[in-house]
C-alpha cells in the first residue's frame, strides 16, 4: 500500500462511533478512496488521498469508531492495535480527531489517550452547526489553549470550514502548528513500574504505549510469543490489576478534561424535548416499534423488486441484442462462441444483479444513516440472544438479504466472539439476491399462477416462504450452535442511540458505489471465470467424443428425416451429453437422483457450488437456448425435459420444490466461504459451515421431494 | 425488600437518579468509556418491547443497555 517513490505522510481519522467521522472522510477524499484488505489480519481499513491546496498529498486512513483504547469488539481492537505499535504500516504521522460538538463532554476521552501517545493531533469539532442551533456555544480558542492542540469547528454535512480543516492539517504535518501539548494522564505507581519494565523489554520510548501493551499483551497481534510471556511475567510480578486500572485511568481522565470542557463550552439551561424523543416514543414503542419494523422490512423488499425490474430488463436486453449482433457479425468459430456464450453471458450474469444490490444497500444505508438501525438493535437484542446472537446481528441478517459477504463483514461490531461467530455462520441462510433469479425460474416453472383467497398470488407466497425458510434455518441453527458452543465471555449491548437526522447524500452514494464495486470485482470475477469454464466444459469433450456425437446426431436426423431446426437441437443435445460437462453431471447423478435431479441439473449444481447465480445461465446453456433469451424460453425447455432412462418428466412439482429448498439452504458461494475464513482466521469454520449447510440442504430437499412425489404432476 | 442502593432497572419510566458506582469492573470499563460515570444523571426512558433491555438517557445522551448492564449501575435512592 506504499506510494511509489517518496513515502506519503499518513494521517489517521480517529473518533467515537457516531461522531460523523466517515462523513468527514468522504468530504476530504471523495472518490479518491478504497477499502484495503490486509492479508494476515482481519482488517478492512478505508484509505484515501487528501490533497492540499499547494498540490502536496497525504494518505488519510479512516480507523473504526471507538470510545477508548480499551476495546470491547474486534473493530475497536483494530484501533488499539494500530496505535499501540509504532511499526504498524498504518501507524499515523498525525491524527485528525473528530468529536461531536453537541456532546463534547463525552467525546474527549480517546483524544486525551492520543495526547499521551505523543502524536500530533488536531481536534475537529463536528456538527458545530447543530450545536449552535440547540444553543451550545463552544469557545474554540479557549479549548485549543487548554488542550494545547489546534481546534477547528466544522460541519461534515454542510462542508462548513472543511477547507480550514485541510489547511490546519497541512500546518500540523509540516510542524507549523505552534501548539504543544503535555502528557495528560500521570501514571499511578504500579502503572509506572509495569510500564518501565515493558518499555525496557520492548525498546519502547513512549510510556503510554508501554501501558497499552501491558494491558493488551494477551491479544496484540504484533507481539512475539516470547514478548507475550515476558510481559505476562511482569504484569503478574507487579500485581497489575488490568481491568481495575483501566477504569481508574478512564475516570481520572474525565476528572481532568471535564473542567476544560465546562470552561470552554456553554450549554443551554436544560435539554429540551427534541424531535428524536417524539419519534422514539413511536419507533421504540412496545407494540408499534416491532410492527413498524416489519412494515419497513416489507417496504424494503417490495422496493427491491419493484425498482429493479426496469433496469434489469434493460441490462438483459442490451446483452441479448449485443450477442445477436456479434454472432451475425463474426465468423462461426469457437472463439466467437467464447466471446458471446462464454464471456458476454458471464458479464450479463454479473451486471444484471447491480440494480438489486444497489437498491438494497441504498435502503440499508439510509436506515443506518438516519439512526434507525440502532433502534432495531435495541428492540431485538433479547430475541436474538435467544438464538445465540446479539441485537447487532439483526443488521447483518438484514444485509444478508442483499449479499452475505458485506453482511458478514458488518458483524465486526459484535464484541462477543461466540455471538459474532454464530452470526457469521448463519447469515448465509438468509436468501441473498443471487438466489432470486433461481427462485424466479423454478417458481415460474412449478407453481401455478393462481391466487389464494382472491388476493395473494400463489407464486409470491412461495417467494415469501423461501425467505421465511432462510430466516427459520438461520435462527434454528443459531439456537443449536448456542447450545453446543457455550462461552462465558462477556457480551455487550451498550449502544448509543444517535439523534435522528437526514441521510447525507454523498455518504449514501459513496457507500452504494463501494458495495457495488466490491460485488462486481469480488464476486464478478468468480462468476465470469466460472461461466467461461462452464462454456468450455460444455463446448469440448474427451478424445473424439464430440466428433462421434456430431456424427451420431447427423445419422439419426437423416434417418428420422428431421427438419433443419430439430436436427440442430438434436445435434446440440448429443454434443452436450458427450462433453466434459455431461460426463461430470452423469458422475454425480446417482447421488442426486434421490432428490429428483437428473445429470443436467447435476451440471448446474456443480457450477452453483462456486456461485449459485450461475444456475440460470447454466440451465440456459444446457438446454441450448443461449443465456440471452428470457426465462420463458428456458421454462418451456425445462418443462418438456424427461429422464434419459425412464422417460418420466424431470420437472415435476416435487423436483422443483426440492430444488428450491436445496438452493435456499445450501452453501453455494465461494466468496462467502472466503470471507468467513478471513473473519474467523481459520479454515475450520468455513468448512464446518459448508458441510452442515450442504447436509441440511440435501436432507430437507430429499424430504420435500418424497413428500410431493406422489402429489399432482405439472 | 430494603436495600441500601438501587440499580437502573429499578427506575420507573421518566424517573431520574444519579449513578453512584458500578458492580462489575468489565462493564464499568465499557460504560465509563461511553460517558456513563459516577455522578451522571440517568433518566429511564422505556424498556425494550420484548424486555431485558432499557432505553436510558445519561446526561442527555441516549443509550440502550441490556438488563445485566443496567443492573450493574448503582444509583442513589
Amino acid at each position: 500500500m506504499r506510494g511509489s517513490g517518496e513515502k506519503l505522510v499518513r494521517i489517521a481519522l480517529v473518533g467515537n462511533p457516531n461522531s460523523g467521522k466517515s462523513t468527514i472522510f468522504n468530504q476530504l477524499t471523495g472518490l479518491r478512496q478504497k477499502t484495503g484488505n490486509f492479508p494476515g489480519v482481519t482488517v478492512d481499513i478505508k484509505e484515501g488521498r487528501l490533497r492540499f491546496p499547494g498540490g502536496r498529498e497525504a494518505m488519510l486512513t479512516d480507523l473504526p469508531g471507538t470510545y477508548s483504547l480499551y476495546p470491547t469488539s474486534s473493530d475497536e481492537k483494530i484501533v488499539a492495535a494500530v496505535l499501540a505499535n509504532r511499526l504498524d504500516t498504518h501507524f499515523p504521522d498525525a491524527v485528525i480527531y473528530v468529536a461531536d460538538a453537541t456532546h463534547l463532554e463525552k467525546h474527549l476521552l480517546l483524544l486525551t489517550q492520543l495526547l499521551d501517545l505523543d502524536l500530533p493531533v488536531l481536534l475537529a469539532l463536528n456538527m458545530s452547526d447543530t450545536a449552535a442551533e440547540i444553543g451550545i456555544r463552544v469557545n474554540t480558542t479557549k479549548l485549543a489553549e487548554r488542550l494545547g492542540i489546534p481546534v477547528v469547528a466544522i460541519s461534515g454535512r454542510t462542508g462548513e470550514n472543511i477547507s480550514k480543516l485541510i489547511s490546519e492539517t497541512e500546518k500540523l504535518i509540516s510542524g507549523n502548528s505552534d501548539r504543544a501539548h503535555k502528557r495528560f494522564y500521570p501514571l499511578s505507581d504500579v502503572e509506572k513500574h509495569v510500564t518501565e519494565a515493558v518499555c525496557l523489554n520492548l525498546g519502547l520510548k513512549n510510556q503510554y504505549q508501554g501501558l497499552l501493551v501491558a494491558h493488551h499483551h494477551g491479544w496484540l497481534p504484533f507481539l512475539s510469543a516470547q514478548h507475550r510471556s515476558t510481559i505476562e511475567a511482569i504484569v503478574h510480578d507487579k500485581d497489575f490489576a488490568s481491568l481495575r486500572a483501566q477504569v481508574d485511568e478512564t475516570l481520572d481522565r474525565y476528572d481532568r478534561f471535564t473542567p476544560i470542557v465546562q470552561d470552554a463550552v456553554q450549554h443551554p439551561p436544560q435539554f429540551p424535548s427534541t424531535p428524536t424523543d417524539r419519534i422514539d416514543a413511536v419507533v421504540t414503542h412496545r407494540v408499534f416499534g416491532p410492527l413498524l419494523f416489519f412494515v419497513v422490512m416489507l417496504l424494503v423488499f417490495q422496493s427491491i423488486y419493484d425498482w429493479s425490474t426496469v433496469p434489469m430488463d434493460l441490462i438483459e436486453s442490451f446483452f441479448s441484442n449485443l450477442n445477436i449482433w456479434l454472432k451475425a457479425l463474426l465468423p462461426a468459430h469457437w472463439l466467437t462462441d467464447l466471446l458471446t456464450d462464454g464471456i458476454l453471458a458471464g458479464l450479463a450474469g454479473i451486471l444484471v444483479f447491480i440494480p438489486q444490490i444497489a437498491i438494497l444497500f441504498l435502503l440499508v444505508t439510509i436506515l443506518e444513516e438516519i439512526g434507525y438501525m440502532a433502534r432495531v438493535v435495541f428492540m431485538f437484542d433479547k430475541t436474538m440472544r435467544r438464538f445465540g446472537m446479539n441485537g447487532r446481528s439483526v443488521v447483518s441478517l438484514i444485509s444478508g438479504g442483499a449479499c452475505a459477504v458485506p453482511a458478514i463483514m458488518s458483524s465486526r461490531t459484535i464484541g462477543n466472539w461466540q455471538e459474532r461467530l454464530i452470526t457469521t455462520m448463519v447469515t448465509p441462510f438468509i436468501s441473498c439476491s443471487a438466489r432470486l433469479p433461481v427462485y424466479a425460474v423454478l417458481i415460474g416453472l412449478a407453481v401455478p399462477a393462481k391466487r389464494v383467497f382472491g388476493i395473494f398470488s400463489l407464486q409470491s407466497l412461495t417467494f415469501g416462504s423461501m425467505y421465511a425458510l432462510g430466516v427459520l434455518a438461520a435462527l434454528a441453527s443459531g439456537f443449536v450452535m448456542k447450545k453446543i458452543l457455550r462461552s462465558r465471555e462477556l457480551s455487550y449491548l451498550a449502544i448509543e442511540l444517535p439523534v435522528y437526522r437526514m441521510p447525507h447524500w454523498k455518504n449514501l452514494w459513496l457507500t452504494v458505489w463501494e458495495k457495488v464495486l466490491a460485488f462486481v470485482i469480488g464476486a464478478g470475477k468468480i462468476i465470469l471465470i466460472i461461466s467461461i469454464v462452464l462454456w468450455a466444459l460444455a463446448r469440448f469433450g474427451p478424445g473424439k467424443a464430440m466428433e462421434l456425437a456430431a456424427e451420431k446426431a447427423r445419422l439419426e436426423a437423416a434417418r428420422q428425416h428431421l427438419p433443419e431446426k430439430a436436427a440442430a437441437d438434436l445435434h446440440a443435445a448429443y454434443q452436450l451429453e458427450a462433453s466434459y460437462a455431461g460426463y461430470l453431471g452423469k458422475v454425480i447423478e446417482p447421488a442426486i437422483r434421490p432428490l429428483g435431479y437428473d445429470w443436467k441439473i447435476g451440471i448446474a449444481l456443480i457450477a452453483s457450488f462456486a456461485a449459485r447465480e450461475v444456475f440460470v445461465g447454466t440451465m440456459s446453456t444446457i438446454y441450448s437456448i443461449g443465456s440471452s433469451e428470457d426465462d420463458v424460453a428456458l421454462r418451456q425447455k425445462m418443462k418438456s425435459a424427461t429422464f434419459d432412462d425412464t422417460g418420466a418428466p424431470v420437472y415435476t412439482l416435487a423436483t422443483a420444490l426440492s430444488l428450491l429448498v436445496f438452493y435456499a439452504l445450501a452453501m453455494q458461494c465461494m466468496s462467502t466461504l472466503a470471507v468467513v475464513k478471513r473473519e474467523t482466521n481459520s479454515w475450520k469454520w468455513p468448512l464446518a459451515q459448508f458441510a452442515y449447510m450442504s447436509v441440511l440442504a440435501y436432507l430437507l430437499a430429499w424430504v420435500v421431494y418424497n413428500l410431493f412425489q406422489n402429489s399432482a404432476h405439472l | 425488600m430494603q436495600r441500601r442502593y438501587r440499580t437502573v432497572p429499578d427506575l420507573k419510566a421518566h424517573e431520574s437518579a444519579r449513578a453512584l458506582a458500578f458492580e462489575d469492573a468489565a462493564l464499568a470499563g465499557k460504560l465509563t468509556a461511553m460517558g456513563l460515570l459516577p455522578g451522571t444523571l440517568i433518566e429511564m426512558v422505556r424498556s425494550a418491547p420484548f424486555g431485558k433491555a432499557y432505553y436510558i438517557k445519561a446526561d442527555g445522551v441516549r443509550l440502550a443497555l441490556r438488563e445485566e448492564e443496567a443492573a450493574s449501575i448503582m444509583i442513589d435512592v
Side-chain angles (χ1 to χ4, degrees):
Chain A
M1 296 300 303
R2 296 211 176 86
S4 53
E6 75 177 295
K7 194 172 169 290
L8 277 174
V9 172
R10 192 175 276 281
I11 302 168
L13 214 51
V14 180
N16 291 8
N18 302 315
S19 60
K21 222 160 43 67
S22 34
T23 309
I24 298 199
F25 180 75
N26 290 340
Q27 286 276 14
L28 291 175
T29 61
L31 275 173
R32 298 183 302 274
Q33 54 169 280
K34 61 176 170 193
T35 306
N37 301 337
F38 298 91
V41 237
T42 63
V43 183
D44 266 334
I45 292 178
K46 269 180 143 189
E47 294 192 311
R49 294 213 170 198
L50 174 57
R51 222 168 264 164
F52 297 109
R56 191 174 167 192
E57 283 196 342
M59 185 61 88
L60 190 66
T61 312
D62 189 18
L63 291 174
T66 181
Y67 291 101
S68 151
L69 291 181
Y70 300 117
T72 53
S73 71
S74 57
D75 59 343
E76 291 177 354
K77 277 184 180 171
I78 294 169
V79 184
V82 166
L83 294 179
N85 178 16
R86 276 179 193 255
L87 301 176
D88 193 286
T89 46
H90 291 95
F91 189 84
D93 300 302
V95 174
I96 299 175
Y97 185 83
V98 183
D100 176 353
T102 62
H103 287 300
L104 207 52
E105 67 285 356
K106 305 284 183 206
H107 276 226
L108 294 188
L109 173 69
L110 181 58
L111 173 70
T112 68
Q113 294 174 326
L114 297 180
L115 294 180
D116 286 341
L117 282 171
D118 281 338
L119 280 162
V121 187
L122 181 159
L123 172 59
L125 293 178
N126 197 15
M127 307 182 205
S128 289
D129 51 339
T130 319
E133 270 165 38
I134 57 177
I136 296 173
R137 269 185 307 198
V138 185
N139 184 337
T140 50
T141 321
K142 206 176 246 178
L143 203 56
E145 224 163 71
R146 299 283 305 263
L147 290 169
I149 54 169
V151 178
V152 193
I154 57 163
S155 167
R157 297 186 158 251
T158 60
E160 187 188 316
N161 265 349
I162 290 292
S163 55
K164 187 168 177 217
L165 176 65
I166 295 176
S167 62
E168 283 293 328
T169 306
E170 190 171 19
K171 271 198 230 161
L172 187 73
I173 56 172
S174 326
N176 290 340
S177 291
D178 45 9
R179 312 277 177 190
H181 60 262
K182 293 194 277 291
R183 289 275 162 81
F184 200 83
Y185 169 70
L187 304 187
S188 71
D189 286 345
V190 181
E191 283 170 334
K192 238 178 240 161
H193 295 147
V194 170
T195 302
E196 271 163 21
V198 169
C199 286
L200 200 68
N201 263 285
L202 266 70
L204 302 176
K205 288 199 179 64
N206 181 283
Q207 249 196 347
Y208 191 54
Q209 196 189 350
L211 183 62
L212 287 177
V213 173
H215 279 301
H216 302 325
H217 68 273
W219 58 267
L220 278 177
F222 64 87
L223 293 178
S224 68
Q226 197 198 338
H227 278 144
R228 217 180 289 274
S229 58
T230 314
I231 298 166
E232 176 68 48
I234 296 171
V235 166
H236 187 78
D237 181 51
K238 312 268 183 209
D239 239 353
F240 180 55
S242 176
L243 267 181
R244 193 70 252 169
Q246 287 176 24
V247 176
D248 289 345
E249 179 197 322
T250 301
L251 293 178
D252 185 85
R253 285 180 187 277
Y254 273 105
D255 284 346
R256 280 164 202 278
F257 77 70
T258 305
I260 300 177
V261 175
Q262 279 169 349
D263 190 28
V265 181
Q266 263 188 299
H267 275 287
Q270 61 198 18
F271 299 105
S273 161
T274 63
T276 296
D277 293 319
R278 293 192 286 277
I279 295 169
D280 270 342
V282 179
V283 166
T284 62
H285 185 270
R286 200 170 278 276
V287 180
F288 301 126
L291 221 60
L292 184 73
F293 172 75
F294 288 109
V295 171
V296 167
M297 285 301 105
L298 270 180
L299 286 176
V300 165
F301 286 104
Q302 186 69 40
S303 317
I304 294 172
Y305 298 129
D306 285 356
W307 300 346
S308 64
T309 323
V310 173
M312 285 174 84
D313 287 349
L314 281 176
I315 293 169
E316 276 177 349
S317 71
F318 169 78
F319 275 96
S320 144
N321 289 329
L322 183 65
N323 228 337
I324 293 167
W325 181 74
L326 278 175
K327 274 189 174 157
L329 188 77
L330 298 168
H333 188 271
W334 68 265
L335 274 172
T336 306
D337 290 351
L338 172 65
L339 180 66
T340 54
D341 295 339
I343 296 170
L344 278 184
L347 268 181
I350 299 160
L351 298 180
V352 81
F353 280 114
I354 289 179
Q356 281 181 347
I357 289 185
I359 294 166
L360 191 117
F361 276 118
L362 180 71
L363 297 175
V364 168
T365 313
I366 289 176
L367 292 180
E368 214 146 352
E369 281 255 318
I370 62 173
Y372 183 64
M373 281 304 193
R375 273 74 185 178
V376 174
V377 168
F378 161 64
M379 286 194 289
F380 294 102
D381 182 62
K382 187 200 167 190
T383 319
M384 298 311 284
R385 290 259 282 168
R386 183 169 298 171
F387 300 106
M389 288 175 267
N390 182 298
R392 290 178 172 83
S393 313
V394 180
V395 180
S396 301
L397 294 184
I398 292 171
S399 312
C403 179
V405 173
I408 285 170
M409 284 174 4
S410 72
S411 70
R412 277 189 205 147
T413 52
I414 302 172
N416 177 290
W417 165 248
Q418 182 193 316
E419 290 172 350
R420 185 174 162 213
L421 179 68
I422 294 180
T423 308
T424 303
M425 296 293 274
V426 307
T427 296
F429 275 125
I430 304 296
S431 284
C432 62
S433 54
R435 282 149 163 129
L436 288 181
V438 184
Y439 291 168
V441 168
L442 289 171
I443 289 174
L445 177 78
V447 180
K450 272 195 285 201
R451 280 182 185 270
V452 202
F453 309 121
I455 327 166
F456 306 107
S457 101
L458 198 56
Q459 295 193 334
S460 58
L461 274 183
T462 315
F463 244 113
S465 327
M466 297 320 293
Y467 275 98
L469 178 66
V471 173
L472 218 68
L475 293 183
S477 0
F479 187 77
V480 173
M481 288 182 71
K482 178 187 163 196
K483 297 275 172 218
I484 298 171
L485 287 169
R486 286 179 191 280
S487 93
R488 251 170 235 99
E489 193 195 353
L490 254 180
S491 149
Y492 297 99
L493 170 63
I495 186 175
E496 210 174 313
L497 301 170
V499 173
Y500 286 110
R501 66 185 92 199
M502 288 300 287
H504 187 255
W505 297 109
K506 199 169 176 184
N507 280 359
L508 280 185
W509 297 129
L510 282 171
T511 310
V512 171
W513 168 251
E514 187 193 306
K515 305 277 182 184
V516 168
L517 212 64
F519 169 79
V520 170
I521 293 169
K525 249 187 320 208
I526 296 167
I527 301 172
L528 187 61
I529 290 168
I530 288 174
S531 81
I532 292 172
V533 169
L534 268 177
W535 167 84
L537 282 177
R539 180 70 170 67
F540 304 106
K544 288 234 177 298
M546 295 301 270
E547 285 83 354
L548 288 175
E551 183 61 23
K552 211 172 105 193
R554 202 177 51 78
L555 288 174
E556 183 69 21
R559 198 173 58 79
Q560 291 184 29
H561 304 290
L562 286 177
E564 198 182 332
K565 174 83 176 63
D569 279 352
L570 192 72
H571 177 250
Y574 275 38
Q575 291 256 295
L576 183 65
E577 196 175 348
S579 70
Y580 290 111
Y583 180 75
L584 274 176
K586 281 188 177 154
V587 168
I588 69 159
E589 197 185 50
I592 55 174
R593 194 63 186 268
L595 309 183
Y597 312 156
D598 67 351
W599 59 271
K600 289 175 184 165
I601 301 180
I603 298 173
L605 283 186
I606 290 171
S608 297
F609 264 106
R612 49 177 78 84
E613 46 271 50
V614 300
F615 174 83
V616 179
T618 313
M619 291 311 260
S620 304
T621 314
I622 292 169
Y623 289 106
S624 56
I625 52 169
S627 47
S628 50
E629 281 183 57
D630 61 338
D631 284 1
V632 182
L634 176 62
R635 263 182 243 152
Q636 280 164 358
K637 283 271 187 173
M638 285 167 73
K639 224 166 192 163
S640 55
T642 55
F643 277 109
D644 292 346
D645 46 3
T646 60
V650 176
Y651 293 95
T652 59
L653 181 67
T655 306
L657 290 181
S658 145
L659 257 181
L660 276 173
V661 168
F662 191 87
Y663 269 87
L665 301 178
M667 165 45 84
Q668 301 168 292
C669 180
M670 296 198 312
S671 315
T672 302
L673 287 173
V675 162
V676 173
K677 196 258 154 188
R678 198 153 67 89
E679 296 294 312
T680 58
N681 239 331
S682 103
W683 278 110
K684 184 169 97 185
W685 297 110
L687 287 176
Q689 184 175 41
F690 177 79
Y692 91 86
M693 286 182 75
S694 305
V695 169
L696 188 68
Y698 188 93
L699 288 179
L700 276 184
W702 181 79
V703 168
V704 166
Y705 179 69
N706 283 291
L707 273 181
F708 284 87
Q709 174 69 319
N710 301 320
S711 72
H713 283 203
L714 283 175
Chain B
M1 195 178 77
Q2 276 295 322
R3 272 184 298 175
R4 300 228 309 285
Y5 61 86
R6 299 184 296 167
T7 60
V8 169
D10 295 328
L11 288 173
K12 293 185 192 70
H14 306 298
E15 196 187 344
S16 300
R18 292 217 176 259
L20 296 175
F22 302 97
E23 284 185 343
D24 177 290
L27 285 173
K30 175 86 184 168
L31 294 170
T32 51
M34 292 178 82
L36 205 160
L37 312 164
T40 296
L41 185 69
I42 294 177
E43 183 196 335
M44 171 62 73
V45 180
R46 64 180 64 85
S47 52
F50 306 107
K52 294 270 183 192
Y54 300 94
Y55 182 150
I56 64 159
K57 281 193 193 175
D59 284 344
V61 178
R62 298 171 182 82
L63 298 177
L65 300 182
R66 198 174 270 168
E67 177 91 38
E68 306 92 276
E69 291 158 358
S72 79
I73 308 166
M74 303 181 220
I75 49 172
D76 55 15
V77 183

